[in-house]
Amino acid sequence: MDQIVPKNILICGDAVAEMGKLKTESVDLIIADPPYNLGKNYGNNIDLKDREDYRVFSENWVREAVRLLKPGGSFYCFMGVKFIARLYLMLEEDFNLIPQGWITWHYTQGMGRKRGFSPRHEDILWFSKGEDARFNLDDVRVPQKYYRKRNNMAGANPGDVWQFSHVHYCAAERLPHPTQKPEALLERIIKASSNPGDVILDPFLGSGTTARVASVLGRQPIGIEINPDYIDMANARLKEPFATFDSTDPRAARQSKDLPKETPGG
Ligand SMILES: C[S@@+](CC[C@H](N)C(=O)[O-])C[C@H]1O[C@@H](n2cnc3c(N)ncnc32)[C@H](O)[C@@H]1O
């Protein structure tokens, strides 16, 4: 098979305006990590709107994203607890997307709270346009814990609670972006829901994690980002030689063990 040379397209601008220039049903997979409306400082934009403005902002970019998605394509969206319930209903009821999964990203470190439980997760909604969403399970299996007859020893389904640590502030891979996502998390989404050569759109590109991983995996990334400094950051990241991704699922290092006592039949 010919090797696919990724054509990386990074666009500086507003997500809605720039998506508006792209062709209807031209994208195989959308991965969106929008601002969560938590007051983060993204350099030239502050992530703080009143509740209704944030709902309208979300509705507008989701409308464009759904227009661009091919039938059968998947739509993944990261979201914090404040808006996720409304977003779920919006995607299902207002945009008629089909729910495929609610993934919890459990990160192992973060700020400690004195009142209330310290937050240790963010969530990712997975929807598709039409029932028939691609799912390449064999590309995302993790090693089984035990050898047993009924287990597929090619590996287990990774489930819908994923543990990846944040890219630590002290790590060499950490970029000056406040919400850089771990590459292995994007790797799993991209491998599960796209094939080499597919077009993958991230309308809120940030430091460029989706584009970097998509490009390494031979997909065609399109990234949109409103802050030109982050576009420069993402372009520089795309040019770096690839050694490994900056994070891994700790289960990847598992060595399958014998069950102490295998029960008859399984
Ligand atoms: C949660 S961050 C994305 C982080 C990214 N996934 C990463 O790994 O670095 C959201 C990004 O959306 C950008 N942004 C905010 N409003 C935007 C808009 N209207 N259009 C495009 N990008 C926008 C922000 O500058 C910020 O970089």
Short mmCIF file of all heavy atoms in Angstrom, two decimals, residues 123-182:
data_model
loop_
_atom_site.label_atom_id
_atom_site.label_comp_id
_atom_site.label_asym_id
_atom_site.label_seq_id
_atom_site.Cartn_x
_atom_site.Cartn_y
_atom_site.Cartn_z
N ASP A 123 -14.73 14.61 30.91
CA ASP A 123 -15.46 13.60 30.15
C ASP A 123 -15.44 13.93 28.66
O ASP A 123 -15.24 15.08 28.27
CB ASP A 123 -16.89 13.51 30.67
CG ASP A 123 -16.88 12.99 32.10
OD1 ASP A 123 -16.72 13.82 33.03
OD2 ASP A 123 -16.95 11.79 32.30
N ILE A 124 -15.66 12.89 27.89
CA ILE A 124 -15.63 13.02 26.42
C ILE A 124 -16.89 12.35 25.90
O ILE A 124 -17.12 11.16 26.18
CB ILE A 124 -14.38 12.31 25.84
CG1 ILE A 124 -13.11 12.83 26.51
CG2 ILE A 124 -14.32 12.51 24.33
CD1 ILE A 124 -11.92 11.90 26.40
N LEU A 125 -17.72 13.11 25.21
CA LEU A 125 -18.93 12.52 24.62
C LEU A 125 -18.60 12.05 23.22
O LEU A 125 -17.94 12.76 22.45
CB LEU A 125 -20.05 13.56 24.56
CG LEU A 125 -20.49 14.14 25.91
CD1 LEU A 125 -21.62 15.14 25.71
CD2 LEU A 125 -20.90 13.04 26.88
N TRP A 126 -19.08 10.85 22.89
CA TRP A 126 -18.89 10.31 21.54
C TRP A 126 -20.26 10.11 20.91
O TRP A 126 -21.08 9.34 21.43
CB TRP A 126 -18.10 9.00 21.60
CG TRP A 126 -18.04 8.25 20.30
CD1 TRP A 126 -18.15 8.77 19.05
CD2 TRP A 126 -17.85 6.84 20.12
NE1 TRP A 126 -18.05 7.78 18.10
CE2 TRP A 126 -17.86 6.58 18.73
CE3 TRP A 126 -17.67 5.78 21.00
CZ2 TRP A 126 -17.70 5.30 18.21
CZ3 TRP A 126 -17.51 4.50 20.48
CH2 TRP A 126 -17.52 4.27 19.09
N PHE A 127 -20.49 10.81 19.82
CA PHE A 127 -21.73 10.67 19.05
C PHE A 127 -21.36 10.36 17.60
O PHE A 127 -20.21 10.57 17.19
CB PHE A 127 -22.54 11.98 19.09
CG PHE A 127 -23.32 12.17 20.37
CD1 PHE A 127 -22.69 12.51 21.55
CD2 PHE A 127 -24.70 12.01 20.39
CE1 PHE A 127 -23.40 12.67 22.74
CE2 PHE A 127 -25.43 12.17 21.56
CZ PHE A 127 -24.78 12.50 22.74
N SER A 128 -22.34 9.90 16.84
CA SER A 128 -22.07 9.68 15.41
C SER A 128 -23.23 10.24 14.59
O SER A 128 -24.33 10.46 15.10
CB SER A 128 -21.88 8.19 15.11
OG SER A 128 -23.06 7.49 15.43
N LYS A 129 -22.94 10.43 13.31
CA LYS A 129 -23.98 10.89 12.37
C LYS A 129 -24.54 9.62 11.72
O LYS A 129 -23.89 9.03 10.86
CB LYS A 129 -23.35 11.81 11.33
CG LYS A 129 -24.36 12.66 10.57
CD LYS A 129 -23.59 13.56 9.60
CE LYS A 129 -24.34 14.79 9.23
NZ LYS A 129 -23.56 15.71 8.41
N GLY A 130 -25.66 9.15 12.19
CA GLY A 130 -26.18 7.85 11.75
C GLY A 130 -25.67 6.76 12.68
O GLY A 130 -24.68 6.95 13.39
N GLU A 131 -26.37 5.60 12.64
CA GLU A 131 -26.08 4.52 13.59
C GLU A 131 -24.73 3.86 13.36
O GLU A 131 -24.10 3.36 14.28
CB GLU A 131 -27.15 3.40 13.45
CG GLU A 131 -28.58 3.84 13.70
CD GLU A 131 -28.92 3.89 15.17
OE1 GLU A 131 -28.09 3.44 16.00
OE2 GLU A 131 -30.00 4.41 15.50
N ASP A 132 -24.31 3.87 12.09
CA ASP A 132 -23.24 2.99 11.67
C ASP A 132 -21.85 3.59 11.90
O ASP A 132 -21.14 3.89 10.95
CB ASP A 132 -23.45 2.72 10.18
CG ASP A 132 -23.15 1.28 9.85
OD1 ASP A 132 -22.89 0.52 10.81
OD2 ASP A 132 -23.15 0.93 8.65
N ALA A 133 -21.46 3.76 13.15
CA ALA A 133 -20.16 4.40 13.40
C ALA A 133 -19.04 3.37 13.34
O ALA A 133 -19.18 2.26 13.84
CB ALA A 133 -20.18 5.05 14.78
N ARG A 134 -17.93 3.77 12.76
CA ARG A 134 -16.75 2.88 12.71
C ARG A 134 -16.21 2.69 14.13
O ARG A 134 -16.18 3.62 14.92
CB ARG A 134 -15.69 3.57 11.84
CG ARG A 134 -14.32 2.95 11.90
CD ARG A 134 -13.35 3.66 10.97
NE ARG A 134 -13.83 3.63 9.60
CZ ARG A 134 -13.98 4.71 8.86
NH1 ARG A 134 -13.73 5.90 9.38
NH2 ARG A 134 -14.41 4.62 7.64
N PHE A 135 -15.77 1.47 14.44
CA PHE A 135 -15.10 1.23 15.72
C PHE A 135 -14.03 0.16 15.52
O PHE A 135 -14.36 -1.02 15.43
CB PHE A 135 -16.10 0.82 16.81
CG PHE A 135 -15.46 0.69 18.17
CD1 PHE A 135 -14.78 1.75 18.74
CD2 PHE A 135 -15.50 -0.51 18.86
CE1 PHE A 135 -14.17 1.64 19.98
CE2 PHE A 135 -14.90 -0.64 20.11
CZ PHE A 135 -14.23 0.44 20.66
N ASN A 136 -12.78 0.58 15.45
CA ASN A 136 -11.67 -0.33 15.17
C ASN A 136 -11.13 -0.90 16.48
O ASN A 136 -10.04 -0.53 16.95
CB ASN A 136 -10.54 0.42 14.45
CG ASN A 136 -11.02 1.06 13.16
OD1 ASN A 136 -11.85 0.52 12.43
ND2 ASN A 136 -10.50 2.26 12.86
N LEU A 137 -11.90 -1.81 17.09
CA LEU A 137 -11.52 -2.32 18.41
C LEU A 137 -10.11 -2.91 18.42
O LEU A 137 -9.34 -2.68 19.36
CB LEU A 137 -12.56 -3.36 18.87
CG LEU A 137 -12.23 -4.09 20.19
CD1 LEU A 137 -12.09 -3.10 21.34
CD2 LEU A 137 -13.32 -5.12 20.51
N ASP A 138 -9.77 -3.67 17.38
CA ASP A 138 -8.47 -4.34 17.40
C ASP A 138 -7.30 -3.35 17.45
O ASP A 138 -6.20 -3.71 17.83
CB ASP A 138 -8.32 -5.26 16.17
CG ASP A 138 -9.15 -6.52 16.35
OD1 ASP A 138 -9.52 -6.84 17.50
OD2 ASP A 138 -9.44 -7.18 15.34
N ASP A 139 -7.56 -2.11 17.06
CA ASP A 139 -6.47 -1.12 17.06
C ASP A 139 -6.27 -0.46 18.43
O ASP A 139 -5.33 0.32 18.61
CB ASP A 139 -6.74 -0.02 16.02
CG ASP A 139 -6.71 -0.57 14.60
OD1 ASP A 139 -6.21 -1.70 14.42
OD2 ASP A 139 -7.20 0.10 13.68
N VAL A 140 -7.19 -0.73 19.36
CA VAL A 140 -7.10 -0.02 20.66
C VAL A 140 -7.15 -0.97 21.86
O VAL A 140 -7.36 -0.53 22.99
CB VAL A 140 -8.21 1.06 20.78
CG1 VAL A 140 -8.01 2.17 19.77
CG2 VAL A 140 -9.61 0.46 20.63
N ARG A 141 -6.96 -2.25 21.61
CA ARG A 141 -7.02 -3.19 22.74
C ARG A 141 -5.87 -2.95 23.72
O ARG A 141 -4.80 -2.49 23.32
CB ARG A 141 -6.94 -4.64 22.22
CG ARG A 141 -8.18 -5.09 21.47
CD ARG A 141 -8.03 -6.54 21.03
NE ARG A 141 -9.16 -6.97 20.23
CZ ARG A 141 -10.30 -7.42 20.74
NH1 ARG A 141 -10.47 -7.51 22.04
NH2 ARG A 141 -11.29 -7.79 19.95
N VAL A 142 -6.12 -3.27 25.00
CA VAL A 142 -5.05 -3.19 26.01
C VAL A 142 -4.79 -4.62 26.52
O VAL A 142 -5.69 -5.45 26.48
CB VAL A 142 -5.43 -2.28 27.20
CG1 VAL A 142 -5.54 -0.84 26.77
CG2 VAL A 142 -6.73 -2.74 27.87
N PRO A 143 -3.56 -4.89 26.99
CA PRO A 143 -3.27 -6.28 27.40
C PRO A 143 -4.25 -6.78 28.47
O PRO A 143 -4.63 -6.04 29.37
CB PRO A 143 -1.85 -6.17 27.98
CG PRO A 143 -1.25 -4.99 27.30
CD PRO A 143 -2.39 -4.02 27.10
N GLN A 144 -4.63 -8.05 28.35
CA GLN A 144 -5.51 -8.67 29.36
C GLN A 144 -4.75 -8.82 30.67
O GLN A 144 -3.53 -8.96 30.68
CB GLN A 144 -5.93 -10.08 28.89
CG GLN A 144 -6.76 -10.11 27.62
CD GLN A 144 -8.23 -9.81 27.87
OE1 GLN A 144 -8.64 -9.47 28.98
NE2 GLN A 144 -9.03 -9.93 26.82
N LYS A 145 -5.52 -8.85 31.76
CA LYS A 145 -4.90 -9.03 33.07
C LYS A 145 -4.52 -10.51 33.27
O LYS A 145 -3.47 -10.81 33.81
CB LYS A 145 -5.93 -8.62 34.13
CG LYS A 145 -5.36 -8.03 35.37
CD LYS A 145 -6.49 -7.38 36.15
CE LYS A 145 -6.02 -6.84 37.45
NZ LYS A 145 -7.12 -6.22 38.18
N TYR A 146 -5.41 -11.39 32.82
CA TYR A 146 -5.20 -12.84 33.05
C TYR A 146 -5.33 -13.62 31.76
O TYR A 146 -6.13 -13.27 30.89
CB TYR A 146 -6.25 -13.38 34.04
CG TYR A 146 -6.11 -12.80 35.42
CD1 TYR A 146 -7.06 -11.90 35.90
CD2 TYR A 146 -5.04 -13.16 36.23
CE1 TYR A 146 -6.93 -11.36 37.16
CE2 TYR A 146 -4.91 -12.61 37.49
CZ TYR A 146 -5.85 -11.72 37.96
OH TYR A 146 -5.73 -11.17 39.19
N TYR A 147 -4.60 -14.70 31.68
CA TYR A 147 -4.88 -15.70 30.66
C TYR A 147 -6.09 -16.48 31.12
O TYR A 147 -6.11 -16.99 32.23
CB TYR A 147 -3.71 -16.70 30.55
CG TYR A 147 -2.46 -16.14 29.96
CD1 TYR A 147 -1.34 -15.93 30.76
CD2 TYR A 147 -2.37 -15.85 28.61
CE1 TYR A 147 -0.17 -15.41 30.23
CE2 TYR A 147 -1.21 -15.34 28.07
CZ TYR A 147 -0.12 -15.13 28.88
OH TYR A 147 1.04 -14.63 28.34
N ARG A 148 -7.10 -16.56 30.35
CA ARG A 148 -8.22 -17.46 30.65
C ARG A 148 -8.92 -17.77 29.33
O ARG A 148 -8.81 -16.99 28.38
CB ARG A 148 -9.18 -16.86 31.67
CG ARG A 148 -9.88 -15.63 31.18
CD ARG A 148 -10.49 -14.77 32.25
NE ARG A 148 -11.29 -15.47 33.22
CZ ARG A 148 -12.23 -14.88 33.94
NH1 ARG A 148 -12.48 -13.59 33.78
NH2 ARG A 148 -12.91 -15.56 34.82
N LYS A 149 -9.63 -18.90 29.33
CA LYS A 149 -10.15 -19.39 28.03
C LYS A 149 -11.03 -18.36 27.34
O LYS A 149 -10.98 -18.19 26.15
CB LYS A 149 -10.94 -20.67 28.26
CG LYS A 149 -10.07 -21.87 28.54
CD LYS A 149 -10.87 -23.16 28.39
CE LYS A 149 -10.23 -24.25 29.22
NZ LYS A 149 -10.90 -24.47 30.51
N ARG A 150 -11.88 -17.68 28.13
CA ARG A 150 -12.84 -16.82 27.45
C ARG A 150 -12.27 -15.43 27.09
O ARG A 150 -12.94 -14.65 26.42
CB ARG A 150 -14.12 -16.69 28.26
CG ARG A 150 -14.00 -15.90 29.53
CD ARG A 150 -15.40 -15.51 30.02
NE ARG A 150 -15.34 -14.82 31.29
CZ ARG A 150 -15.78 -15.33 32.42
NH1 ARG A 150 -16.32 -16.51 32.47
NH2 ARG A 150 -15.70 -14.61 33.53
N ASN A 151 -11.06 -15.15 27.50
CA ASN A 151 -10.47 -13.86 27.14
C ASN A 151 -9.88 -13.88 25.74
O ASN A 151 -9.29 -14.87 25.33
CB ASN A 151 -9.35 -13.49 28.11
CG ASN A 151 -9.89 -12.97 29.42
OD1 ASN A 151 -11.10 -12.79 29.57
ND2 ASN A 151 -9.01 -12.76 30.38
N ASN A 152 -10.01 -12.77 25.05
CA ASN A 152 -9.34 -12.62 23.77
C ASN A 152 -7.91 -12.17 24.09
O ASN A 152 -7.69 -11.06 24.58
CB ASN A 152 -10.08 -11.55 22.94
CG ASN A 152 -9.43 -11.34 21.59
OD1 ASN A 152 -8.27 -11.69 21.39
ND2 ASN A 152 -10.18 -10.77 20.66
N MET A 153 -6.96 -13.05 23.81
CA MET A 153 -5.60 -12.72 24.23
C MET A 153 -4.92 -11.71 23.31
O MET A 153 -3.79 -11.30 23.54
CB MET A 153 -4.76 -14.00 24.40
CG MET A 153 -5.22 -14.86 25.57
SD MET A 153 -5.61 -13.99 27.14
CE MET A 153 -4.02 -13.30 27.59
N ALA A 154 -5.66 -11.24 22.29
CA ALA A 154 -5.15 -10.09 21.51
C ALA A 154 -5.27 -8.82 22.36
O ALA A 154 -4.68 -7.79 22.04
CB ALA A 154 -5.93 -9.94 20.22
N GLY A 155 -6.04 -8.90 23.45
CA GLY A 155 -6.17 -7.74 24.33
C GLY A 155 -7.63 -7.46 24.63
O GLY A 155 -8.54 -7.96 23.96
N ALA A 156 -7.83 -6.64 25.68
CA ALA A 156 -9.18 -6.33 26.14
C ALA A 156 -9.65 -5.00 25.55
O ALA A 156 -8.83 -4.13 25.20
CB ALA A 156 -9.18 -6.23 27.67
N ASN A 157 -10.96 -4.85 25.50
CA ASN A 157 -11.55 -3.55 25.18
C ASN A 157 -11.13 -2.57 26.29
O ASN A 157 -11.22 -2.91 27.47
CB ASN A 157 -13.08 -3.72 25.15
CG ASN A 157 -13.81 -2.46 24.73
OD1 ASN A 157 -13.55 -1.38 25.26
ND2 ASN A 157 -14.74 -2.60 23.80
N PRO A 158 -10.64 -1.39 25.95
CA PRO A 158 -10.14 -0.47 26.99
C PRO A 158 -11.21 0.09 27.93
O PRO A 158 -10.88 0.74 28.92
CB PRO A 158 -9.46 0.64 26.21
CG PRO A 158 -10.03 0.58 24.83
CD PRO A 158 -10.44 -0.84 24.60
N GLY A 159 -12.49 -0.16 27.61
CA GLY A 159 -13.55 0.35 28.48
C GLY A 159 -13.77 1.84 28.29
O GLY A 159 -13.16 2.48 27.42
N ASP A 160 -14.63 2.42 29.13
CA ASP A 160 -14.95 3.84 28.94
C ASP A 160 -14.48 4.72 30.10
O ASP A 160 -14.90 5.86 30.23
CB ASP A 160 -16.44 4.04 28.64
CG ASP A 160 -17.34 3.51 29.73
OD1 ASP A 160 -16.81 3.08 30.78
OD2 ASP A 160 -18.57 3.52 29.53
N VAL A 161 -13.57 4.18 30.92
CA VAL A 161 -12.87 5.02 31.90
C VAL A 161 -11.39 4.91 31.57
O VAL A 161 -10.82 3.82 31.63
CB VAL A 161 -13.14 4.56 33.36
CG1 VAL A 161 -12.35 5.44 34.33
CG2 VAL A 161 -14.63 4.62 33.67
N TRP A 162 -10.83 6.02 31.15
CA TRP A 162 -9.45 5.99 30.64
C TRP A 162 -8.54 6.77 31.59
O TRP A 162 -8.83 7.91 31.95
CB TRP A 162 -9.36 6.67 29.27
CG TRP A 162 -10.19 6.03 28.20
CD1 TRP A 162 -10.90 4.85 28.29
CD2 TRP A 162 -10.39 6.52 26.86
NE1 TRP A 162 -11.52 4.59 27.10
CE2 TRP A 162 -11.24 5.59 26.21
CE3 TRP A 162 -9.95 7.65 26.17
CZ2 TRP A 162 -11.64 5.78 24.89
CZ3 TRP A 162 -10.34 7.83 24.86
CH2 TRP A 162 -11.18 6.90 24.22
N GLN A 163 -7.44 6.12 31.95
CA GLN A 163 -6.50 6.81 32.83
C GLN A 163 -5.26 7.26 32.06
O GLN A 163 -4.54 6.44 31.50
CB GLN A 163 -6.09 5.87 33.96
CG GLN A 163 -5.23 6.56 35.00
CD GLN A 163 -4.83 5.60 36.11
OE1 GLN A 163 -5.67 4.91 36.67
NE2 GLN A 163 -3.56 5.57 36.40
N PHE A 164 -5.10 8.55 32.01
CA PHE A 164 -3.89 9.13 31.41
C PHE A 164 -3.51 10.31 32.29
O PHE A 164 -4.39 11.11 32.65
CB PHE A 164 -4.14 9.68 30.00
CG PHE A 164 -4.49 8.63 28.98
CD1 PHE A 164 -5.78 8.53 28.49
CD2 PHE A 164 -3.53 7.74 28.52
CE1 PHE A 164 -6.11 7.57 27.54
CE2 PHE A 164 -3.85 6.78 27.57
CZ PHE A 164 -5.14 6.68 27.09
N SER A 165 -2.23 10.43 32.63
CA SER A 165 -1.88 11.59 33.44
C SER A 165 -1.82 12.82 32.53
O SER A 165 -1.61 12.70 31.32
CB SER A 165 -0.57 11.37 34.17
OG SER A 165 0.48 11.56 33.28
N HIS A 166 -2.04 14.00 33.12
CA HIS A 166 -1.82 15.25 32.39
C HIS A 166 -0.37 15.31 31.93
O HIS A 166 0.50 14.68 32.54
CB HIS A 166 -2.01 16.43 33.36
CG HIS A 166 -3.43 16.85 33.52
ND1 HIS A 166 -4.18 17.38 32.51
CD2 HIS A 166 -4.23 16.84 34.61
CE1 HIS A 166 -5.37 17.68 32.95
NE2 HIS A 166 -5.45 17.36 34.22
N VAL A 167 -0.12 16.08 30.89
CA VAL A 167 1.28 16.34 30.55
C VAL A 167 1.79 17.28 31.64
O VAL A 167 1.34 18.42 31.76
CB VAL A 167 1.42 17.01 29.16
CG1 VAL A 167 2.88 17.07 28.74
CG2 VAL A 167 0.59 16.27 28.12
N HIS A 168 2.68 16.76 32.47
CA HIS A 168 3.07 17.49 33.68
C HIS A 168 3.80 18.80 33.32
O HIS A 168 4.51 18.86 32.31
CB HIS A 168 3.99 16.60 34.54
CG HIS A 168 4.11 17.10 35.93
ND1 HIS A 168 5.07 18.00 36.31
CD2 HIS A 168 3.35 16.85 37.03
CE1 HIS A 168 4.92 18.28 37.60
NE2 HIS A 168 3.88 17.59 38.06
N TYR A 169 3.60 19.81 34.16
CA TYR A 169 4.23 21.12 33.91
C TYR A 169 5.75 21.03 33.78
O TYR A 169 6.37 21.84 33.10
CB TYR A 169 3.85 22.11 35.02
CG TYR A 169 2.43 22.60 34.84
CD1 TYR A 169 1.38 21.97 35.51
CD2 TYR A 169 2.14 23.65 33.97
CE1 TYR A 169 0.07 22.39 35.31
CE2 TYR A 169 0.83 24.07 33.77
CZ TYR A 169 -0.20 23.43 34.43
OH TYR A 169 -1.48 23.83 34.21
N CYS A 170 6.35 20.02 34.43
CA CYS A 170 7.81 19.89 34.37
C CYS A 170 8.27 19.05 33.18
O CYS A 170 9.47 18.96 32.92
CB CYS A 170 8.33 19.23 35.65
SG CYS A 170 7.82 20.10 37.11
N ALA A 171 7.33 18.38 32.48
CA ALA A 171 7.75 17.47 31.40
C ALA A 171 8.28 18.25 30.21
O ALA A 171 7.82 19.36 29.92
CB ALA A 171 6.56 16.61 30.96
N ALA A 172 9.24 17.63 29.51
CA ALA A 172 9.85 18.29 28.34
C ALA A 172 8.81 18.58 27.27
O ALA A 172 8.92 19.55 26.52
CB ALA A 172 10.94 17.38 27.77
N GLU A 173 7.77 17.73 27.20
CA GLU A 173 6.76 17.88 26.13
C GLU A 173 5.74 18.97 26.45
O GLU A 173 4.92 19.33 25.60
CB GLU A 173 5.96 16.58 25.94
CG GLU A 173 6.78 15.36 25.60
CD GLU A 173 7.39 14.69 26.81
OE1 GLU A 173 6.98 15.03 27.96
OE2 GLU A 173 8.29 13.86 26.64
N ARG A 174 5.76 19.47 27.69
CA ARG A 174 4.74 20.45 28.09
C ARG A 174 4.95 21.77 27.35
O ARG A 174 6.04 22.34 27.36
CB ARG A 174 4.82 20.66 29.61
CG ARG A 174 3.81 21.65 30.16
CD ARG A 174 2.41 21.09 30.17
NE ARG A 174 1.44 22.15 30.20
CZ ARG A 174 0.19 22.01 30.61
NH1 ARG A 174 -0.25 20.85 31.02
NH2 ARG A 174 -0.65 23.02 30.59
N LEU A 175 3.89 22.26 26.74
CA LEU A 175 3.95 23.52 25.98
C LEU A 175 3.25 24.62 26.77
O LEU A 175 2.43 24.33 27.66
CB LEU A 175 3.27 23.31 24.62
CG LEU A 175 4.01 22.33 23.72
CD1 LEU A 175 3.12 21.81 22.60
CD2 LEU A 175 5.27 22.97 23.15
N PRO A 176 3.55 25.88 26.45
CA PRO A 176 2.90 26.96 27.19
C PRO A 176 1.44 27.16 26.75
O PRO A 176 1.09 28.16 26.14
CB PRO A 176 3.78 28.19 26.89
CG PRO A 176 4.52 27.85 25.65
CD PRO A 176 4.60 26.37 25.53
N HIS A 177 0.63 26.15 27.02
CA HIS A 177 -0.81 26.21 26.76
C HIS A 177 -1.50 25.66 28.00
O HIS A 177 -1.10 24.61 28.51
CB HIS A 177 -1.17 25.38 25.51
CG HIS A 177 -2.60 25.53 25.10
ND1 HIS A 177 -3.64 24.93 25.81
CD2 HIS A 177 -3.20 26.23 24.11
CE1 HIS A 177 -4.79 25.26 25.24
NE2 HIS A 177 -4.54 26.06 24.21
N PRO A 178 -2.55 26.34 28.51
CA PRO A 178 -3.09 25.92 29.82
C PRO A 178 -3.84 24.60 29.83
O PRO A 178 -4.03 24.02 30.90
CB PRO A 178 -4.04 27.08 30.19
CG PRO A 178 -4.33 27.81 28.92
CD PRO A 178 -3.16 27.58 28.01
N THR A 179 -4.29 24.09 28.67
CA THR A 179 -5.11 22.86 28.72
C THR A 179 -4.65 21.84 27.68
O THR A 179 -5.46 21.23 26.99
CB THR A 179 -6.61 23.20 28.53
OG1 THR A 179 -6.78 23.89 27.28
CG2 THR A 179 -7.16 24.06 29.63
N GLN A 180 -3.34 21.66 27.59
CA GLN A 180 -2.77 20.69 26.65
C GLN A 180 -3.22 19.27 27.04
O GLN A 180 -3.07 18.86 28.19
CB GLN A 180 -1.24 20.79 26.72
CG GLN A 180 -0.52 19.84 25.80
CD GLN A 180 1.01 19.96 25.96
OE1 GLN A 180 1.51 20.90 26.59
NE2 GLN A 180 1.74 19.02 25.41
N LYS A 181 -3.73 18.52 26.08
CA LYS A 181 -4.23 17.18 26.36
C LYS A 181 -3.14 16.13 26.10
O LYS A 181 -2.27 16.35 25.25
CB LYS A 181 -5.46 16.87 25.49
CG LYS A 181 -6.66 17.76 25.75
CD LYS A 181 -7.20 17.58 27.16
CE LYS A 181 -8.41 18.44 27.48
NZ LYS A 181 -8.20 19.89 27.51
N PRO A 182 -3.21 14.98 26.80
CA PRO A 182 -2.20 13.93 26.56
C PRO A 182 -2.37 13.29 25.18
O PRO A 182 -3.49 13.01 24.75
CB PRO A 182 -2.48 12.89 27.65
CG PRO A 182 -3.62 13.38 28.46
CD PRO A 182 -4.18 14.62 27.84
#
